[in-house]
Every structure is written in C-alpha cells, then in structure tokens.
Amino acid sequence: MVNINNISMVSASVDGNNVGITGGGNAELETWTLDDIDFTNYDGTVSIVMDFDATINGDGSPFTIVDAGNTSDFGGTLTVNSATGVYTFTFDTADSDVVFGAQVTFAVSGEGDASDTVFINFVCFAENTLIDTPEGLRPVETLRVGDRVNTLENGPKPIMWIGSRTLSSEELADHTHLRPICIRAGSLGPTQPSSDLTVSPQHRVFISNASVQLLFGLDEALVPAKGLLDGHSVVESNCNSVTYYHIMFDKHEILFSNGAWSESFYPGATATDSLSDATREELFELFPELRNNASIWATAAPVLTRNETRALVCIQQAKSPTAH
C-alpha cells in the first residue's frame, strides 16, 4: 500500500550557513542528501541542522529518529525536536573520525510518514594528497598554520599560510582550463608518485632526469602539470568538483606529496590572481612585499614552460612507442 503521508526537508545549515539539499518529498522518493560539505572550513564542534515539515496529510504525530545509522561511528550525536521536526547532527572536528569521502546516514519519521533516509556527504578531493611531515604522512586537509612539513632543500619548515578554493561542477564546466590534472602512480618514475596525484593545471612538479639535462642543460626543473598531459599516464581528471589546497612557507619550497616532489604555493601573478579577493588580501597582510611585486620570490628550482615540458613528454613517448 502506498504511503500517503509525507514529510520533507525544507532547509539545512552547517553552523548557521545554509547548504544545498537534493531529494524529493513524495511517496516514491523519500531520500534527502546534503552534498559536498567541507568540514575543514569549520573548527571545533560543528552542528548540522535539518528542518523537516509535513507536506502531505500530516497527522500531528511526533518526529522521531527511526535509525541513528552510522552517526555514532563518526563520534557524533543525532538529536530531534519531536514537536518541530528539527534534527541536529553534532560532531567535533578535532575528535571525529569523519574523513573526506565519508557518508553519514540515518533515518527519520514523523507526521505519519514511516521513514525518510538522510545522507550527508563530505567532499573527497584531497584525500589522495599525502604530505610528508616529521610526524609521517598527513592528508593535506589536516595541516594547519605552524605545522612542520619536510622540504627537499631546507628540512622541516613551519607552514606560514594555508588557503583553499572549491570549484563546483558548473565552474569547472565554464572554466575548463581549471580542471585538475591526474598524475597516475609511477608516471614520473618508479613509485613516483606512489599513488595517483591530483593537482591544479599550473601546479609544478619536480623532475630530475637525463632528458632535462639533454634538452636544457639542467640537473633539475619544475614543470607545470598541464605540460605533462599525454593521454594515458597524465590525464585531465573527470571529477565533478574539486578543492585546491595551497600551502605556503617563508620561501618557495619543494614538498613530498603522494611519493613525488612538487612545489609549495608560489605567489606569482597567475597564482595570486586565481585567489578570491579576501584570500588575496589575507596573503598580502602576511607578506606585504608581495602586494606590488607578486614575483619577488625566487623559485625553488628552474622552471620550464608548458611547451618546454611538452618537449620532455615527446622524448618519453619516443622511448615508449607502445604507450597508449
């Protein structure tokens, strides 16, 4: 028999900030999803509030938690105001086991509706970027200002600034040049990277091989990821959305990320122009010398252009004619 009673999620917020909802409020579709919640934007205790209300034949029965699902697995607490239909999921970012790519799920009921299922999805973009620190490998999203990171030339150094930017599927569709690049495991050499590494197109990786010496007379160089595209080992990612993280020190450095060396944030004109106005201003407050000369810093290694990097790729393809 078809359930003719129904409740719907009418709003949702994270620490007071409204977030999007997908789902439906009829007898055939009773699932509700909160997508791409980046909990790293929040510190301490976080509260996700979801407001339900009757939409069809509400009978006044109280709202309840039918099944708490896996909420306790994340160190969280799920509560409900039985009279108003407001559900609150609370967890502590410092103690919670919530990770990128996780999904919290539970079931609710009320107003005669037997059960609706709720999914809360957390973004899953940086979990494959492991940064080498004196304490071991750490996901980039867990790093904070002041944390020490191992660098190629200068040993462990404290982070001076961290920024991030999330691009939605619509933004990536409108600005295809910002689509991330996936550098597949082993494409830069044995175990380099040790697992797929996803970076922005302009992000530069560190290489040192005979081809660099042969073509440019350099022992080492930083090359832009987009210049490495070859259609099989380095490809454009097909992700729907992406969050880019920026780690900055008191000078340009080279870091070990997913088993490969790549650059820290370099505050050149292209990079600073890609930041939001507020983020750019924050950066200039920390490093006032960059305001009038964004390229004042020296790079940690010689930098090759995209075309120069393409020449390196052509040599590699010539060495591996069967690559496809």
Side-chain angles (χ1 to χ4, degrees):
M1 181 177 179
V2 176
N3 175 22
I4 60 173
N5 301 82
N6 190 255
I7 56 175
S8 294
M9 189 187 296
V10 294
S11 67
S13 64
V14 181
D15 279 2
N17 300 306
N18 290 334
V19 296
I21 306 166
T22 57
N26 57 57
E28 289 75 33
L29 180 59
E30 296 185 332
T31 61
W32 306 91
T33 302
L34 283 63
D35 286 316
D36 294 348
I37 297 176
D38 185 353
F39 79 95
T40 60
N41 289 333
Y42 304 89
D43 291 320
T45 302
V46 174
S47 292
I48 302 177
V49 178
M50 297 144 284
D51 189 2
F52 278 81
D53 200 0
T55 54
I56 302 175
N57 297 336
D59 64 6
S61 59
F63 289 88
T64 64
I65 299 171
V66 177
D67 184 351
N70 65 347
T71 55
S72 63
D73 294 343
F74 295 88
T77 302
L78 180 66
T79 60
V80 59
N81 183 317
S82 61
T84 63
V86 173
Y87 293 80
T88 304
F89 175 59
T90 304
F91 66 96
D92 191 325
T93 59
D95 300 328
S96 176
D97 290 330
V98 172
V99 295
F100 284 81
Q103 183 182 76
V104 177
T105 182
F106 55 90
V108 304
S109 71
E111 297 286 356
D113 192 348
S115 181
D116 277 20
T117 301
V118 177
F119 298 100
I120 303 173
N121 292 328
F122 296 91
V123 294
C124 181
F125 309 118
E127 67 176 353
N128 289 325
T129 305
L130 297 175
I131 305 298
D132 188 33
T133 76
E135 291 74 38
L137 298 177
R138 289 182 55 183
V140 65
E141 69 272 15
T142 69
L143 296 174
R144 298 292 182 265
V145 170
D147 288 348
R148 295 188 308 158
V149 170
N150 292 329
T151 67
L152 178 63
E153 296 291 341
N154 298 296
K157 295 193 65 174
I159 297 172
M160 301 293 292
W161 176 80
I162 296 177
S164 65
R165 181 186 180 187
T166 299
L167 298 174
S168 67
S169 57
E170 291 79 10
E171 289 174 307
L172 290 176
D174 292 339
H175 306 282
T176 56
H177 64 287
L178 297 178
R179 292 198 66 84
I181 304 299
C182 176
I183 303 173
R184 290 178 173 158
S187 59
L188 301 178
T191 71
Q192 296 184 36
S194 55
S195 59
D196 290 357
L197 175 65
T198 299
V199 296
S200 62
Q202 297 286 356
H203 189 90
R204 292 176 289 220
V205 297
F206 178 83
I207 59 174
S208 177
N209 57 39
S211 297
V212 177
Q213 177 63 241
L214 174 65
L215 286 182
F216 306 107
L218 298 172
D219 294 327
E220 57 193 33
L222 286 166
V223 301
K226 65 180 182 180
L228 294 171
L229 288 169
D230 60 10
H232 54 94
S233 62
V234 181
V235 297
E236 189 175 272
S237 173
N238 60 0
C239 65
N240 291 324
S241 56
V242 66
T243 297
Y244 291 130
Y245 289 86
H246 316 296
I247 303 175
M248 189 168 168
F249 301 88
D250 61 353
K251 61 183 290 188
H252 195 220
E253 298 287 358
I254 297 173
L255 319 176
F256 203 52
S257 51
N258 277 28
W261 293 103
S262 67
E263 68 173 342
S264 66
F265 182 76
Y266 178 76
T270 299
T272 54
D273 287 347
S274 71
L275 303 175
S276 68
D277 291 342
T279 301
R280 190 183 308 111
E281 188 59 32
E282 176 190 0
L283 184 64
F284 289 158
E285 287 183 11
L286 288 171
F287 303 94
E289 70 272 17
L290 300 176
R291 186 181 296 276
N292 297 319
N293 188 354
S295 299
I296 193 171
W297 284 12
T299 57
V303 173
L304 300 186
T305 66
R306 179 183 181 182
N307 287 337
E308 289 171 334
T309 305
R310 290 298 307 156
L312 292 176
V313 172
C314 289
I315 288 181
Q316 292 303 117
Q317 288 178 330
K319 290 180 179 178
S320 305
T322 59
H324 60 278

